[in-house]
Amino acid sequence: DNNSLAQVGIASGAAYLTANAPVEYRYGNEWEIFALRRSGQTIAPARLEAYLDSVAAVYQNNPGATETKPTTIARVALTLGVLGENAADFRGLNFINMLCNSERIGEGGNEPMWALLALDSRDYTEPAGALWTRDKLVTELILQYQNPEGGFGLTDNVTASVDMTAMAVQALAPYYTGRADVKEAVDKALVYLQSQMSADCGFNSNVEATAQVVLALAALNRSPVLPENGFAPNLSVNMLTNITSFAAEGGGYKHYAADRAPQIMSTTQAMLAFEAYRRQANAENFIYDLSDVNRLAMLQQRLAEIEHLQAADYTAESWQALQTAKKCSAKVAGRNLHRSGFAGCGQSFGGGHCRLAAAKPGYKTQPQSGRQDDYRVFSPDW
């Protein structure tokens, strides 16, 4: 059945991404991290902390970094969000402000699309006096990039592609019931997408295009496998079965079915499609709606993970540092237990769930040579 198909698809993608993961994730690995974490997979905390450190290193004290393409900034904001971080206040960096005041939004249709997806991922507040508000981004997207047939283009409103149109639907979905112009634009876009679908429910003979259409329907809370939604002739032939045809032996997904080997991007997009379907079928948040990411629960999980550790496995110094980290973490968890909402968590979490978990492998016993152990510890004020 389709639910089993999605579970197998997620597992296959996760196995491939995990097997091909770098020793430490870095800036640029956003989609691998996002696909794994959003589908409930575990990533070694030290790898996540390395990623967060690399993002900070790229953007801190680097004025030119704020001129990065909005698609890149949005990708980082989404990844920070899935890790429980606040993209509007991450180590002194405000990626939401960067997006809303970017002078590069007009460079292509994907820029306003991903700016909207990032802004709405945690219902971030628009900065006062922002160059780009949600309303302006929506209007820019529809007027500048949708052609008369309903498709969206990358650089104009004459050409169109399946990928761009499907991503536009995802970005516009939250405004579908509130703005008549958005409803009209999305309805036309769906007609265009239907016209591009092949008999086997695929698009452009590649996995990424089909995956994006699955995401588009899920964003509208419409099942991509039900015939009544216009994208499946029956329950056994649909976009999920099409994506499955790109699966590589041993895990992962190929760009074209005839390719010899899977690719990272193809795999991440297939995983996101399967997870988006699973979420829609189970009445869970859309994959880019990160309001269900619970930072407090993540910290509590980290605290539970270290309960079994034994002092005998650590040096005296590193064990004491771990206990300090644990004590500070417990205080933060206690303070935030009755708070609600993302903003209420504030900076007090400070990426601590990753650092606390990183203590498990990082505090292992080392020879008593007098050299300092390689570990991270919370500040007592954390």
Side-chain angles (χ1 to χ4, degrees):
D1 70 288
N2 289 308
N3 289 327
S4 297
L5 204 65
Q7 294 290 356
V8 171
I10 293 168
S12 174
Y16 174 76
L17 292 182
T18 301
N20 291 276
V23 175
E24 291 183 338
Y25 283 112
R26 298 288 181 181
Y27 175 68
N29 293 132
E30 284 80 21
W31 284 125
E32 298 99 295
I33 296 171
F34 189 93
L36 287 168
R37 289 300 301 129
R38 198 60 174 139
S39 61
Q41 313 303 313
T42 299
I43 300 176
R47 288 180 173 179
L48 294 180
E49 187 66 14
Y51 168 74
L52 295 174
D53 288 344
S54 73
V55 170
V58 169
Y59 287 90
Q60 286 176 341
N61 303 314
N62 184 4
T66 62
E67 300 173 7
T68 302
K69 282 176 63 66
T71 48
T72 300
I73 296 172
R75 186 181 72 210
V76 172
L78 286 167
T79 305
L80 291 175
V82 82
L83 295 179
E85 297 290 344
N86 184 351
D89 184 12
F90 171 70
R91 302 188 187 181
L93 297 166
N94 189 335
F95 290 92
I96 303 306
N97 185 66
M98 293 181 205
L99 280 175
C100 290
N101 289 291
S102 174
E103 296 182 355
R104 302 185 66 178
I105 290 290
E107 291 186 359
N110 53 349
E111 310 297 351
M113 292 176 195
W114 286 99
L116 282 167
L117 286 168
L119 281 170
D120 292 332
S121 66
R122 297 300 300 246
D123 195 23
Y124 288 108
T125 301
E126 299 164 0
L131 181 64
W132 291 100
T133 63
R134 286 175 169 85
D135 282 344
K136 288 182 179 179
L137 289 167
V138 168
T139 301
E140 168 81 2
L141 179 55
I142 295 174
L143 293 182
Q144 299 300 321
Y145 298 102
Q146 187 172 33
N147 68 24
E149 287 71 42
F152 283 77
L154 176 61
T155 59
D156 54 45
N157 58 6
V158 177
T159 59
S161 73
V162 169
D163 298 72
M164 292 296 297
T165 304
M167 288 188 288
V169 172
Q170 295 166 46
L172 294 172
Y175 310 92
Y176 182 78
T177 60
R179 285 183 54 162
D181 58 340
V182 170
K183 185 179 186 305
E184 180 182 0
V186 168
D187 288 343
K188 289 171 60 178
L190 293 175
V191 172
Y192 166 80
L193 290 174
Q194 288 174 320
S195 74
Q196 301 300 303
M197 188 172 69
S198 60
D200 62 353
C201 298
F203 294 84
N204 298 345
S205 300
N206 69 74
V207 73
E208 293 89 348
T210 307
Q212 290 301 326
V213 179
V214 171
L215 288 163
L217 289 176
L220 293 168
N221 195 25
R222 300 181 187 181
S223 173
V225 303
L226 294 180
E228 55 262 39
N229 288 329
F231 287 83
N234 54 66
L235 289 176
S236 60
V237 178
N238 54 63
M239 288 185 283
L240 299 189
T241 59
N242 181 272
I243 292 174
T244 301
S245 69
F246 294 86
E249 185 176 350
Y253 289 83
K254 298 173 288 185
H255 174 61
Y256 293 118
D259 289 346
R260 292 185 176 182
Q263 297 181 16
I264 295 292
M265 182 54 70
S266 303
T267 300
T268 57
Q269 293 203 30
M271 275 187 73
L272 292 177
F274 283 127
E275 176 63 13
Y277 164 75
R278 189 200 66 76
R279 287 174 167 273
Q280 192 279 329
N282 289 280
E284 297 178 21
N285 283 31
F286 176 55
I287 202 157
Y288 296 130
D289 177 0
L290 304 178
S291 60
D292 58 346
V293 175
N294 189 326
R295 303 177 79 200
L296 177 58
M298 293 172 73
L299 180 58
Q300 290 171 328
Q301 177 184 339
R302 302 306 183 217
L303 284 166
E305 288 174 352
I306 67 170
E307 283 300 321
H308 70 284
L309 300 180
Q310 302 294 322
D313 293 327
Y314 294 77
T315 64
E317 183 181 2
S318 61
W319 179 254
Q320 181 56 51
L322 176 58
Q323 297 309 302
T324 300
K326 177 182 176 182
K327 181 179 179 181
C328 293
S329 303
K331 287 182 178 179
V332 171
R335 286 201 305 269
N336 288 278
L337 186 59
H338 299 294
R339 296 184 184 182
S340 61
F342 182 60
C345 296
Q347 194 175 358
S348 60
F349 283 97
H353 54 274
C354 292
R355 294 182 179 178
L356 185 60
K360 293 201 308 179
Y363 285 60
K364 290 298 183 185
T365 301
Q366 299 187 30
Q368 300 287 348
S369 59
R371 69 183 179 84
Q372 185 172 343
D373 293 311
D374 178 20
Y375 58 75
R376 299 172 186 267
V377 65
F378 293 125
S379 160
D381 294 330
W382 186 87

